[in-house]
Each structure stands twice: as C-alpha cells, then as structure tokens.
Amino acid sequence: MTIIIVITALITASIGCVVISGLMLFLKDQQLNKVSTYFLYIASGILLGAALLGMIPKAVSIGDSHKVAWTILIGILFLFSLEKFVLWRNCSDENCERRGNASVSVTLIGDAFHHIIDGIVITSAFLISTEVGLTVTISIIFHEIPKALGDLSILIKNGVIRKRAFWYKIVSVSTTVIFGLFAYFLSGTIKTMVPYVLAFSAASFLYLSMAQLIPEMHKRSTLKDSVTQISFILLGVLIIYLSLHLK
Ligand SMILES: [Zn+2]
C-alpha cells in the first residue's frame, strides 16, 4: 500500500470534509436542512454496510472471532458510557437537549478523540486491503460532513465567530492525519491489533447509526419520509457493497 493513497484518504476524510461543511454553511437555511437530512439518511446506511459487510467480516477473517466479538461489545458499552458522561457534564436539568447545550470545550475534546480514532482506522483498513480502506474512508467522509456541520453550528451558537469555528475544526480534524500517519509508520508494531481496531471502529459505526442517526430519523414519520429514508439507507448500503467489490 503506497503512502500517497493513505495520505490522500486521511486528508480527504478530515480536512476535506470540514472545507465542504464550511462551504455548505453558506447555503440558505432551508437548503442546508434538506442536504444535511439526506446526508444523515445515507450515512446511516453507509455506516451499517461498512461495519457489517466490510469491517466485521474482515476482522473475523484475520483475527480471533471471539476477541473480535468482545471488542464490538466493549466498544458499544464504551460509547454508551462516553455519551452518558458528555450528557452528564452538560446537563443540569433532567430533560436537556444534548446538542443545544453541549459546551464548546467538551465538543472540542470529544471531537479530537473521535478524529484520532478515525485516522488510526483509515490506516489500519488500508493495511488490510485497498477495498476495505476505501470502504472505511467513504464511511468516514459520510459521517464527517454532517458531524462537521453539527459541530460548526454548536460552536457558532455558543458565540464563536464563523471563521474561528472553522479553524478550530480544522485543527481538531488534523489529528486524523497526524495519528493516521503515526499508525502507518508503526504498522509493523500495530499489525496484530488491526482486526481489533477495525472491530472497535465497526462498533462505533453501528452505535452511531443505530443509536444516534436512526432515532433522529424517527422524528419524521410520514409515509413519504419513511420511503425516502429506507431508499437512502439502501443506497448507502449499495455504495458500500460496490466499493467492496470494485476490481
Ligand atoms: Zn469520524
């Protein structure tokens, strides 16, 4: 695997996404709402497909299947606890809206941690094969764009000016590139860990899709919305299927 492909993937899935989201903020509110809603739908299909069709089968084929399953279970519980912690830090009253009240510092710290994992996962996936690398990169792009949009609006809502919010995100997202490169140069050492890194990341994709994106979709429940949602989820799965069967 050439380092050029890995670097391109790392930059596209991090800085590239923030730039796209930054540009999307110039859209009119109504258009922006529409675009981010479709991103959300398609991302949930992409994340499910990447985890269940690409990452978990790969992790099982190169690692110990029991350890892979344990890693997924621990990953889901860990993410649940992490989310609880963030909620607990940000909410004083009982019924708080998570997004609206998240403070700037918690957003940025949780964010950097997330981007570090993304970087390590992209490199690990490319160490297995180009197809898996591509699948993981696509999944990260599709969850990063709506995520960056959300994060930018939290920062702006909290009084950070637009330009500064953009640069905050660029700095935090750069950890993806830095840690991705670290992982690349340490690939000899981390090789035995690759299946479990992949399994942990698959857990985060499953969690993100089923515990965060899908509940969000249930807020729109007309027949038209439901058909659109199912179609976009299937489209997401199809994109992953095709990227896994390139060649
Ligand atoms: Zn991410």
Side-chain angles (χ1 to χ4, degrees):
M1 174 50 47
T2 63
I3 188 166
I4 304 290
I5 298 179
V6 177
I7 292 178
T8 311
L10 288 170
I11 293 178
T12 315
S14 56
I15 297 167
C17 293
V18 178
V19 172
I20 294 172
S21 317
L23 291 173
M24 283 166 74
L25 284 181
F26 289 103
L27 289 173
K28 290 201 185 84
D29 276 359
Q30 208 183 1
Q31 289 170 313
L32 183 62
N33 248 335
K34 216 170 191 173
V35 177
S36 41
T37 304
Y38 289 138
F39 254 107
L40 189 111
Y41 296 168
I42 207 166
S44 62
I46 282 186
L47 293 168
L48 285 177
L52 295 167
L53 303 176
M55 298 157 85
I56 296 174
K58 256 296 167 234
V60 168
S61 74
I62 50 176
D64 176 285
S65 58
H66 280 98
K67 284 188 194 159
V68 167
W70 269 106
T71 312
I72 297 170
L73 176 62
I74 292 167
I76 290 172
L77 297 177
F78 172 77
L79 290 162
F80 173 77
S81 317
L82 192 73
E83 200 178 16
K84 273 281 168 223
F85 177 73
V86 173
L87 280 171
W88 171 69
R89 280 293 304 269
N90 285 297
C91 298
S92 43
D93 60 286
E94 275 186 12
N95 305 307
C96 85
E97 268 291 321
R98 184 170 55 91
R99 281 251 167 219
N101 287 355
S103 74
V104 173
S105 59
V106 172
T107 305
L108 289 174
I109 295 167
D111 207 35
F113 175 75
H114 174 107
H115 296 311
I116 289 171
I117 304 278
D118 278 354
I120 297 173
V121 170
I122 290 176
T123 304
S124 307
F126 274 108
L127 289 174
I128 294 172
S129 74
T130 313
E131 288 80 18
V132 179
L134 200 63
T135 309
V136 169
T137 309
I138 293 174
S139 325
I140 291 181
I141 291 173
F142 271 87
H143 82 242
E144 272 317 311
I145 292 178
K147 183 179 181 305
L149 272 175
D151 292 343
L152 286 172
S153 30
I154 289 176
L155 290 169
I156 293 165
K157 257 185 218 159
N158 277 277
V160 181
I161 57 166
R162 203 178 266 225
K163 204 169 163 190
R164 185 173 289 172
F166 177 77
W167 286 111
Y168 274 162
K169 268 305 286 183
I170 290 282
V171 171
S172 108
V173 93
S174 302
T175 50
T176 297
V177 183
I178 297 165
F179 281 82
L181 283 175
F182 259 133
Y184 185 85
F185 291 114
L186 294 174
S187 60
T189 328
I190 66 159
K191 208 155 199 169
T192 50
M193 285 166 61
V194 165
Y196 311 107
V197 170
L198 220 53
F200 184 83
S201 182
S204 80
F205 284 10
L206 290 175
Y207 187 82
L208 189 60
S209 176
M210 294 199 286
Q212 292 177 337
L213 304 185
I214 291 178
E216 196 63 35
M217 283 189 213
H218 287 322
K219 290 182 184 165
R220 292 162 180 256
S221 52
T222 63
L223 181 65
K224 187 178 164 231
D225 285 327
S226 311
V227 173
T228 315
Q229 290 169 356
I230 293 168
S231 316
F232 273 87
I233 292 175
L234 289 175
L235 179 63
V237 175
L238 181 70
I239 291 174
I240 291 301
Y241 180 84
L242 293 176
S243 74
L244 282 168
H245 295 80
L246 264 181
K247 278 183 194 164

